[in-house]
Amino acid sequence: MVLTGRTGAVAAAGSVLVGVVAGVFHVPGWAGIAAFEAALGFGVAADAIRAGTLRDLAFERSGSTTVRLGESAAVHLTVTNNGAHPLRGILRDAWTPSAGNVPQTTAPRQVSEVPKEPRHALSIEPNAAQRIDTILTPTRRGDRIPDRVTVRSLGPLGLAGRQLSSEIPWRLRVLPPFESRKHLPSRLARLHETDGRTPVLVRGQGSEFDSLREYVIGDDVRSIDWRATARRNDVVVRTWRPERDRHVVMVLDTSRTSAGRVGDVPRLDSAIDAALLLTALATRAGDRVDLLAYDQQLRASVPGALPGRTLPLFSDAMAGLEPSLIELNAEGLVTHLMKQIRRPSLVVLLTSIDAATIDQGLLPQVGRLTGRHNVIVASVADPRIAQLSSARGDADAVFAAASAELALATRRQAAAELRRHGVHVVDAIPDRFAPALADTYLALKAAGRL
């Protein structure tokens, strides 16, 4: 049994009334209070008895199971009354706060005001059902799950009732937002030019046959096609183009550095967005793309699927990734990659370029990869550091500028060390990070490196 706020209000008002009557008529106050409380108790008991029973209720969920971050999803809760009496009450469908189960309103809200989950009125006849629609606008990636469904049935006087809480399982997977999707059309157009699907044709060193043409001085004699030459009066050579069904391995660093925020977004989220853009581009190019997430152990692994399924599978796997507050085990990562990758591939490592990560972790190991594979190391740069480096005016601003310039110099030195080992480095601010990584991939395609 539960009591309502109306019960407390009636008790307070009754106590005041009894006190006033006792003072005016000079009658014992305790007797009046006891009589009033007895009447109130009888009313509460009668109200609780007449409240609809809850043990005959059945619950069932349906609706959306996935949604992209920033969008809304509808989850339905069907309540069935299997009892013989009507049910009148209130229902609260509680979710974790990051699920975004708040009333859909345009009214301004105070900063300190905590939004309350909506309550739903229930009115269900015997052997009937009522559907409750919950609109969720999640604020974080990952799996959002409900807490408990609480139903409160009140008596006709509104003084007391019955309450039941049940766990009705459901899972809403919140996928990464993929904000860099807007850059995909322009990069696909450049890809089509590189592949020769438009009048622009770029040829490079590769192993995929392209066409025959007449020999000119300077051509490699090993490219002469002797059979075609025998059928013509001129010497004919073969031209080659880069292979288009290459292997791309996307590696997400989920160690402590990925938890750092650049602007309002964690580094890991920026890396996920860039990985989605590159995955969409590479699959359109006919490349096979694999995904790994690693810190000191393997957190996620998705081998390349059919082109139409790769991006959804990657989005689903990335949705649940969270940074781990541990260092990256670069030796373990490179050892795992060397065991898994059987042919020359493009390895894209999305991590942080700083002295600790590069000098003590990745740099001693990267030579094992560049000897066989093309390697891209991509990192999100913090634009605030560049802004601080140009600050002047007072002693504090100059000191901040010196610290920022030292950080930039250290970062440039780490990038230079990686380049000396044959690594392609992408270091860009969040707004430019995803398209910069895609441009590096396209440049390698155009140069015949992929």
Side-chain angles (χ1 to χ4, degrees), residues 113-293:
E113 181 182 353
V114 178
K116 296 181 179 180
E117 292 177 322
R119 269 61 171 174
H120 306 274
L122 287 181
S123 179
I124 312 176
E125 298 298 324
N127 298 318
Q130 179 177 339
R131 195 179 80 170
I132 304 298
D133 297 328
T134 300
I135 305 300
L136 303 174
T137 307
T139 57
R140 289 183 57 190
R141 288 184 294 104
D143 291 338
R144 306 277 79 86
I145 59 176
D147 188 1
R148 291 191 177 189
V149 174
T150 301
V151 178
R152 178 175 292 181
S153 173
L154 301 179
L157 300 178
L159 298 175
R162 305 178 186 182
Q163 182 168 300
L164 173 69
S165 294
S166 303
E167 292 185 358
I168 312 301
W170 193 255
R171 187 189 74 166
L172 179 68
R173 170 145 289 196
V174 185
L175 304 177
F178 196 9
E179 295 177 351
S180 61
R181 187 192 298 270
K182 60 187 176 184
H183 300 291
L184 185 57
S186 61
R187 270 61 188 180
L188 284 176
R190 289 177 53 186
L191 176 66
H192 293 167
E193 292 178 357
T194 302
D195 282 349
R197 286 191 279 262
T198 66
V200 179
L201 181 59
V202 180
R203 294 185 178 90
Q205 297 298 320
S207 57
E208 184 174 315
F209 176 74
D210 181 56
S211 61
L212 297 173
R213 62 170 175 81
E214 295 181 0
Y215 174 86
V216 296
I217 296 176
D219 283 339
D220 190 344
V221 295
R222 291 175 297 180
S223 64
I224 297 176
D225 189 319
W226 296 108
R227 291 186 178 182
T229 299
R231 295 193 297 268
R232 303 186 184 185
N233 294 326
D234 297 318
V235 179
V236 177
V237 296
R238 294 181 179 182
T239 60
W240 308 88
R241 69 191 306 167
E243 296 180 24
R244 286 175 290 181
D245 58 341
R246 304 297 288 177
H247 185 205
V248 180
V249 182
M250 212 83 61
V251 183
L252 291 173
D253 175 8
T254 57
S255 66
R256 63 168 185 83
T257 57
S258 65
R261 301 183 75 88
V262 179
D264 294 330
V265 180
R267 291 181 182 273
L268 180 58
D269 286 40
S270 296
I272 287 174
D273 191 57
L276 288 175
L277 178 63
L278 184 54
T279 299
L281 188 61
T283 52
R284 297 288 185 90
D287 295 342
R288 175 181 171 230
V289 187
D290 293 350
L291 172 68
L292 294 177

Side-chain angles (χ1 to χ4, degrees), residues 16 31 38 46 52-53 55-56 68 71 78 85 150 215 228 239 259 277 291 312 326 362 365 371 376 396 405:
V16 172
T53 181
R55 64 176 180 270
D56 295 324
R68 286 208 175 272
E71 300 177 358
T78 302
H85 303 284
T150 301
Y215 174 86
T239 60
L277 178 63
L291 172 68
I326 53 179
L362 185 61
Q365 304 294 331
I376 298 177
D396 291 340
E405 188 58 42

